Amino acid sequence: MDLTQSVNDYSEIVENDREFIWHHLSQHKKYETQDPLIIIEGKGMRVWNQAGREHLDAVSGGVWTVNVGYGRETIADAVRDQLVKMNYFAGSAGSIPGATFANQLIGKMPGLSRVYYSNSGSEANEKAYKIVRQISHNKHGGKKSKILYRDRDYHGTTITALSSCGQGERRDQYGPFTPGFVEVPHCLEYRSQWGDIEDYGIKAANAIEDVILREGADTVGGLILEPITAGGGVIEPPKGYWDRVQEICAKYDILLIIDEVVCGMGRTGTWFGYQHYDVKPDIVTMAKGVASGYAAISCTVTTEAVFNEFKADPDDPMSYFRDISTFGGCTAGPAAALENMRILEDENLLDNTVAMGEYLMDKLHGLKAKHQIVGDVRGKGLFCGAELVSDRESKTPVHESIAQAVVADCFAKSAVIIGMTNRSLHGMNNTLCLSPALISTKNDLDEVVEAIDGALTRVVA
């Protein structure tokens, strides 16, 4: 590297990126004629690119992750101090931050008692699936091994995680998939599968039971659901849905797995999204906001009853959970997570999320009243979406190029970064997605909504 280069001259970085980096979710042909985006710095709600331009980030790192905002020196300090003392040992042994964070985490999750560490949401869900499969083998002769997942939900990017993915475009071209995963219907009332009916939530939940009976209840061991669907369109479950889901799982002895990778750690205004609905899960998975992206960490959290299944026969060398996650032994993750949790508590960010979430939803309803292209707005806390349609009566989704143009306009004209359903659903990549950091103020959210307002005006004109 040329050390005489100006500290503000990132041309060499850009060229190294263009030449050597394979970016996520990117068609790289465009980088033959334009520079890739390099994010140089972040502070609070703001990030700066290689050209020095400031952007307001309304998607918390692009994928709903940086819950407490950028530039948190106390998290960086906690990680640095821990790494100097003890950076890593395999998860077959414990660590100070691992034990301490597990204790504090369980304190936020009544009814749950055990934490298994790994390093990504995909991996956390894989662990949950392996738990279901091993219990099936040990208790049911391997028969109760099927795992149900919901249309529009997303649970990770590995082949087995994609086997449980309800987003067609995420799955395309990656099969064949792991057998034993079965889809159940979505619960988006705005796009009801059964027309305009009363008790839609009950109907959507009963549709899960229909699948169980079709497959054979003695073959189904688990059901995985997002508490509020994220990348499938920001879908808050309808009234009555979760109560009925719990009844069904109890009736057929099915382990209920809640994927909190997006909703966890305050995103919806409670510690976990399922806590809005009085759900009592058997397994909860989480990642993203657990350490707000300051270190890689994920957790698979279970009840003591699930944990005890792996102690049932200590004389059987195959009876314990024979899984390992190499980087589940890193201490940086729980060290960052501890400080992340302290910030959430000390700065009352859950309360702020509730208040600012209500403010943002009011603003989005204002956009809906102004722009016919906004067919529906939905969400909870600082986790919101606006579905764009070409006709409100028919609810015909706009072509994804329209939603992409809105996102691009916000970025280029207003320097605001928003998201959208991307390579998720065939013909339905039409929902704008917002997940700003939990430190958001009214001024921040005004800026976001004004950017969308202007973009809708310019794109639709």
Side-chain angles (χ1 to χ4, degrees):
M1 177 176 288
D2 180 7
L3 297 179
T4 65
Q5 195 174 28
S6 166
V7 294
N8 293 318
D9 181 359
Y10 296 105
S11 57
E12 185 174 350
I13 299 297
V14 171
E15 289 311 309
N16 286 342
D17 184 285
R18 191 199 315 274
E19 185 72 16
F20 303 115
I21 296 295
W22 194 337
H23 286 281
H24 302 185
L25 294 173
S26 298
Q27 168 52 259
H28 280 63
K29 185 68 175 176
K30 65 185 177 184
Y31 298 138
E32 295 177 6
T33 56
Q34 68 184 63
D35 288 346
L37 176 67
I38 312 290
I39 300 298
I40 303 298
E41 185 178 358
K43 190 69 175 176
M45 297 280 292
R46 313 282 167 161
V47 297
W48 286 262
N49 69 13
Q50 70 264 36
R53 192 181 190 203
E54 177 183 326
H55 292 271
L56 192 159
D57 177 10
V59 279
S60 295
V63 285
W64 13 57
T65 297
V66 189
N67 283 11
V68 299
Y70 297 99
R72 292 285 189 167
E73 293 186 18
T74 60
I75 301 181
D77 289 343
V79 170
R80 186 264 178 201
D81 292 346
Q82 178 58 48
L83 295 183
V84 171
K85 184 173 184 178
M86 169 55 73
N87 64 309
Y88 175 84
F89 199 90
S92 53
S95 71
I96 291 173
T100 305
F101 178 65
N103 175 58
Q104 293 195 16
L105 179 62
I106 291 302
K108 311 296 185 191
M109 307 178 75
L112 295 154
S113 64
R114 296 285 174 165
V115 180
Y116 189 97
Y117 288 118
S118 51
N119 77 318
S120 72
S122 300
E123 197 178 2
N125 286 327
E126 293 266 358
K127 308 312 180 188
Y129 301 157
K130 292 175 79 173
I131 288 169
V132 171
R133 291 282 170 89
Q134 196 169 341
I135 290 174
S136 169
H137 177 88
N138 290 338
K139 290 186 67 175
H140 308 287
K143 187 175 182 181
K144 203 170 175 65
S145 62
K146 292 177 184 174
I147 297 171
L148 308 183
Y149 65 93
R150 186 170 57 194
D151 180 23
R152 285 179 169 257
D153 279 11
Y154 176 74
H155 303 294
T157 190
T158 63
I159 294 297
T160 295
L162 284 176
S163 303
S164 63
C165 179
Q167 299 176 8
E169 288 191 342
R170 294 280 183 202
R171 293 164 56 95
D172 280 356
Q173 303 177 345
Y174 294 121
F177 296 104
T178 305
F181 289 85
V182 182
E183 187 174 273
V184 302
H186 70 74
C187 66
L188 175 54
E189 190 165 10
Y190 180 69
R191 294 197 173 277
S192 170
Q193 309 93 314
W194 304 286
D196 186 12
I197 61 170
E198 294 184 4
D199 295 327
Y200 174 85
I202 303 298
K203 176 68 174 177
N206 284 340
I208 297 174
E209 184 174 33
D210 293 341
V211 173
I212 292 168
L213 294 175
R214 184 194 73 203
E215 296 293 322
D218 59 344
T219 72
V220 179
L223 167 65
I224 185 166
L225 301 170
E226 292 183 85
I228 300 171
T229 299
V234 189
I235 303 167
E236 187 179 359
K239 183 179 178 181
Y241 182 80
W242 274 113
D243 288 341
R244 182 68 183 121
V245 166
Q246 285 205 117
E247 290 175 0
I248 291 166
C249 287
K251 179 178 180 180
Y252 298 108
D253 188 25
I254 293 171
L255 293 175
L256 178 57
I257 307 164
I258 304 296
D259 180 341
E260 291 275 354
V261 170
V262 171
C263 294
M265 286 296 152
R267 171 58 55 193
T268 66
T270 52
W271 283 106
F272 296 95
Y274 74 85
Q275 293 170 341
H276 290 287
Y277 310 107
D278 195 30
V279 181
K280 295 177 175 59
D282 300 290
I283 303 173
V284 177
T285 60
M286 65 194 75
K288 295 187 186 295
V290 173
S292 288
Y294 285 83
I297 181 174
S298 66
C299 305
T300 304
V301 185
T302 75
T303 62
E304 197 71 4
V306 168
F307 176 76
N308 283 338
E309 293 290 344
F310 297 88
K311 299 194 299 181
D313 186 0
D315 294 326
D316 179 358
M318 298 293 283
S319 68
Y320 66 90
F321 191 44
R322 301 179 321 281
D323 180 82
I324 188 169
S325 168
T326 296
F327 293 111
C330 288
T331 60
L338 277 164
E339 181 60 16
N340 185 73
M341 182 177 281
R342 184 200 65 76
I343 290 169
L344 289 167
E345 292 184 307
D346 288 359
E347 297 184 11
N348 297 314
L349 293 186
L350 270 64
D351 290 342
N352 188 65
T353 298
V354 172
M356 293 301 99
E358 292 173 355
Y359 183 79
L360 178 56
M361 283 299 293
D362 284 345
K363 289 285 187 177
L364 291 177
H365 279 290
L367 286 183
K368 180 181 176 183
K370 181 177 180 180
H371 298 277
Q372 285 293 309
I373 193 175
V374 181
D376 192 35
V377 296
R378 47 190 183 251
K380 187 175 283 293
L382 287 169
F383 181 31
C384 302
E387 182 165 348
L388 306 184
V389 296
S390 59
D391 179 76
R392 280 190 180 177
E393 185 70 24
S394 65
K395 301 180 183 177
T396 303
V398 299
H399 190 273
E400 65 181 50
S401 62
I402 301 298
Q404 289 167 348
V406 173
V407 173
D409 185 284
C410 287
F411 185 86
K413 296 286 180 33
S414 304
V416 171
I417 305 171
I418 68 170
M420 62 171 285
T421 44
N422 174 51
R423 295 285 69 78
S424 299
L425 304 162
H426 296 292
M428 295 293 295
N429 294 315
N430 66 317
T431 300
L432 305 179
C433 300
L434 301 174
S435 55
L438 311 189
I439 61 173
S440 295
T441 67
K442 289 183 178 180
N443 288 339
D444 294 324
L445 300 179
D446 286 344
E447 188 173 341
V448 172
V449 173
E450 287 167 9
I452 298 172
D453 185 12
L456 291 173
T457 299
R458 287 184 287 269
V459 168
V460 176

